[in-house]
Amino acid sequence: MSRLVVVSNRVADLTKASQSGGLAVALGDALRQRGGLWFGWDGNVVERGKRVPPTIQVDGQVKTVTLPLTDRDYEEYYLGFSNRVLWPVFHYRLDLAKFETAFLEGYQRVNFKFADALVPFLEPDDLIWVHDYHLIPLGIELRQRNIKNRIGFFLHIPFPPPDILAAAPENEWLVKALFAYDVVGFQTETDLANFERYIVEQGHGDAFIDHRLVCGSRSVVADYFPIGIDVDSFFEMAHTPEADSQIDLLERRTIARAHIIGVDRLDYSKGLPDRFRAFERLLERHPENQKAVTFMQIAPPTREDVEAYVDIKHELEALTGSINGQFGDFDWTPLRYIHRSVDRNTLAALLRGSQVGLVTPLRDGMNLVAKEYVAAQDMEDPGVLVLSKFAGAAEDLKAALIVNPYDIDEVADALQTAITMPIEERRQRQNALLERVRRHDAQNWRESFIEVLENVSLGAAV
Ligand code: GDG
């Protein structure tokens, strides 16, 4: 079996995989089984011009190789092109994108540096798996250094429709860069269809029925691989004695009979202001919920150096104050907004202890919180998932209450339906949801991607 080499912007701490969740869990097992290497940024920023050799850590068969970014690279590659251009554009938010030539140069420079630093660690047989929007051109850089290995790429965020992508600078270069890979994976059928349309409509390429796309002299296999979670370990985390006592505390500390929960990085793609307004609308339209329902939003900070994130933070603080000021009472705080990271065990307990999981992104690649909410539930007395139709997870989780997150009345009505849903219907929906969450779990995601990458016929000229 060939070694696996994972490349991503940040490298997760595999020794704390169960705490960090996400990629660390999904890829940690594969790295341990096959042996391998995880390469990326260590999260540190050093002065420009300073040359720091990569840090190498070895744990059994798994090596991590990390390096810092310079302050200029951090500004131009990370905050600039990755998070002020690609993140908003790929989430359909052209209004929030900020284009500057230096951002593109920084993006290309860091991908160049990453390739230079990675090549000495590669062996001819390695399977290389590159992750996400920060590293789209890494494949080209590796090919230019004569790396002939199988290289796959997975995009964790949505792939926008061609008309939107066409507004991004250098979009043709960016999309053609994907043809340096042998396999390109997306989260959903919609993302895959958008990519295929771009290639055919804007890239003058062809799409074939066996998932192969051809553009000029290169071809690539493109498919969708919905990412998932480790269902059993999340269920266990939500059902420990400590979790029981946390849920007990949650229930005793409030007079409310139903809890609604949201958990999201504080990001404009997650639809938090509209979600807060929908909760407010619920209290207005269905006043019987006053003093009977609470909403807890956990929203740890991210990317605070990007202006759009500061704006949304202020908006949420104002909304929280206004909703609590209008509806709160000495014995009831309707909305609890926690702008901090919460320990993962506590998170699992809170998801289980809440009667409604409210997941309403305006656009999301997949959204693992939706899957975690389902995995955490008691099968005998499950809660109800209210899910945005614009989350990738909605392609699979059709048994949730699917809503348009822009329509505040619709979300408020769905909340009312969720709070009052009879137990039989809750159980039926939960069974259907859990079946889907299990079918597309973390193991299935990585194994199906790796299987395609291992077996793909190599994609040069056809
Ligand atoms: C990107 C794509 C795609 C959140 N708050 C806390 C905390 N979390 C954990 C959640 C979940 C993870 O972070 C967030 O995952 P999501 O999938 O919801 O969202 P993104 O971070 O935007 O991830 C997304 C994903 O990549 C994977 O491909 O699904 O669409 O945008 O696991 O539980 N964890 C802890 N404390 C918190 O306060 N411990």
Side-chain angles (χ1 to χ4, degrees):
M1 206 190 312
S2 46
R3 259 187 0 156
L4 180 64
V5 173
V6 174
V7 190
S8 59
N9 175 56
R10 289 298 302 274
V11 175
D13 183 348
L14 291 174
T15 58
K16 296 188 190 134
S18 64
Q19 273 302 313
S20 39
L23 264 194
V25 175
L27 295 174
D29 288 347
L31 284 167
R32 276 185 286 270
Q33 282 158 16
R34 309 177 72 104
L37 185 143
W38 195 334
F39 179 93
W41 175 32
D42 60 13
N44 294 320
V45 177
V46 297
E47 259 173 58
R48 65 193 67 186
K50 192 166 176 186
R51 286 188 172 271
V52 182
T55 305
I56 303 165
Q57 284 179 314
V58 183
D59 181 7
Q61 295 225 86
V62 185
K63 207 182 258 182
T64 55
V65 180
T66 54
L67 66 175
L69 292 178
T70 67
D71 49 4
R72 184 170 167 210
D73 291 345
Y74 175 71
E75 186 56 46
E76 295 172 2
Y77 148 83
Y78 179 71
L79 297 177
F81 202 73
S82 298
N83 288 315
R84 289 194 182 99
V85 179
L86 296 181
W87 179 272
V89 171
F90 279 52
H91 286 87
Y92 302 36
R93 293 298 301 270
L94 290 175
D95 57 317
L96 294 177
K98 302 245 182 309
F99 304 139
E100 282 183 31
T101 313
F103 293 169
L104 179 63
E105 287 165 3
Y107 184 68
Q108 291 170 327
R109 185 174 62 245
V110 170
N111 274 272
F112 187 99
K113 284 187 194 172
F114 267 34
D116 270 353
L118 174 61
V119 164
F121 294 94
L122 295 177
E123 293 170 12
D125 230 19
D126 288 342
L127 271 187
I128 305 172
W129 191 1
V130 179
H131 290 261
D132 231 358
Y133 58 103
H134 316 85
L135 299 174
I136 292 172
L138 191 75
I140 309 186
E141 295 295 342
L142 292 174
R143 296 294 183 215
Q144 282 173 354
R145 287 160 183 75
N146 215 19
I147 298 299
K148 304 245 185 296
N149 302 46
R150 289 163 187 273
I151 316 181
F153 176 84
F154 185 79
L155 185 68
H156 290 256
I157 63 175
F159 192 91
D163 279 355
I164 291 188
L165 190 51
E170 296 296 333
N171 60 88
E172 282 190 21
W173 164 77
L174 206 60
V175 176
K176 287 209 173 127
L178 290 170
F179 281 77
Y181 296 101
D182 298 297
V183 176
V184 173
F186 299 96
Q187 298 274 25
T188 66
E189 261 184 288
T190 306
D191 301 319
L192 175 64
N194 285 340
F195 177 63
E196 288 177 350
R197 272 182 53 211
Y198 183 99
I199 297 306
V200 174
E201 292 170 15
Q202 317 255 350
H204 315 295
D206 292 301
F208 295 94
I209 40 173
D210 61 352
H211 300 294
R212 196 165 272 284
L213 289 150
V214 179
C215 201
S217 61
R218 287 282 314 173
S219 80
V220 71
V221 165
D223 207 345
Y224 67 101
F225 305 85
I227 198 166
I229 61 166
D230 183 340
V231 181
D232 291 328
S233 71
F234 203 81
F235 179 86
E236 281 161 26
M237 213 186 290
H239 289 77
T240 58
E242 294 75 34
D244 291 345
S245 29
Q246 279 170 319
I247 293 169
D248 202 38
L249 203 63
L250 178 74
E251 283 166 358
R252 273 190 287 117
R253 286 264 170 90
T254 167
I255 56 169
R257 57 178 164 71
H259 300 281
I260 301 169
I261 190 163
V263 178
D264 311 74
R265 286 182 305 98
L266 203 168
D267 193 296
Y268 51 77
S269 65
K270 304 292 184 182
L272 298 178
D274 286 341
R275 189 183 303 177
F276 283 22
R277 289 189 192 100
F279 176 64
E280 181 181 34
R281 191 65 53 88
L282 172 78
L283 300 178
E284 284 163 1
R285 277 163 82 117
H286 304 280
E288 69 274 21
N289 293 312
Q290 294 178 22
K291 297 205 175 186
V293 176
T294 63
F295 171 32
M296 184 190 293
Q297 176 65 52
I298 298 168
T302 48
R303 304 176 198 162
E304 288 177 303
D305 295 333
V306 176
E307 308 71 30
Y309 290 75
V310 178
D311 295 345
I312 194 161
K313 178 171 179 277
H314 292 149
E315 190 177 358
L316 291 181
E317 285 164 359
L319 276 167
T320 305
S322 144
I323 294 169
N324 283 337
Q326 190 185 346
F327 294 98
D329 211 338
F330 71 95
D331 56 353
W332 178 58
T333 306
L335 169 53
R336 278 177 289 172
Y337 164 52
I338 302 172
H339 183 44
R340 263 179 291 113
S341 180
V342 167
D343 170 87
R344 197 159 171 77
N345 300 300
T346 307
L347 199 72
L350 292 173
L351 289 175
R352 175 186 152 203
S354 301
Q355 286 66 37
V356 183
L358 185 53
V359 182
T360 53
L362 303 178
R363 193 61 62 178
D364 216 334
M366 178 54 59
N367 196 296
L368 294 179
V369 176
K371 297 191 173 189
E372 289 165 352
Y373 181 75
V374 172
Q377 296 309 300
D378 278 318
M379 292 308 282
E380 287 308 303
D381 186 16
V384 180
L385 177 65
V386 176
L387 178 62
S388 159
K389 61 173 161 186
F390 301 126
E395 261 187 22
D396 234 4
L397 303 185
K398 297 195 168 72
L401 292 178
I402 302 292
V403 293
N404 173 1
Y406 292 94
D407 186 339
I408 288 163
D409 288 333
E410 187 187 322
V411 177
D413 288 347
L415 285 173
Q416 178 67 6
T417 306
I419 293 162
T420 54
M421 188 179 285
I423 180 103
E424 270 316 312
E425 185 179 348
R426 282 194 274 131
R427 285 189 190 139
Q428 274 169 15
R429 287 179 183 269
Q430 171 66 13
N431 282 332
L433 289 171
L434 190 62
E435 193 268 319
R436 304 304 296 200
V437 173
R438 279 196 186 285
R439 189 183 301 181
H440 288 144
D441 67 359
Q443 185 179 351
N444 172 275
W445 169 71
R446 65 158 202 263
E447 284 178 355
S448 49
F449 187 93
I450 290 173
E451 193 188 329
V452 173
L453 184 58
E454 273 180 320
N455 294 307
V456 69
S457 53
L458 294 182
V462 281

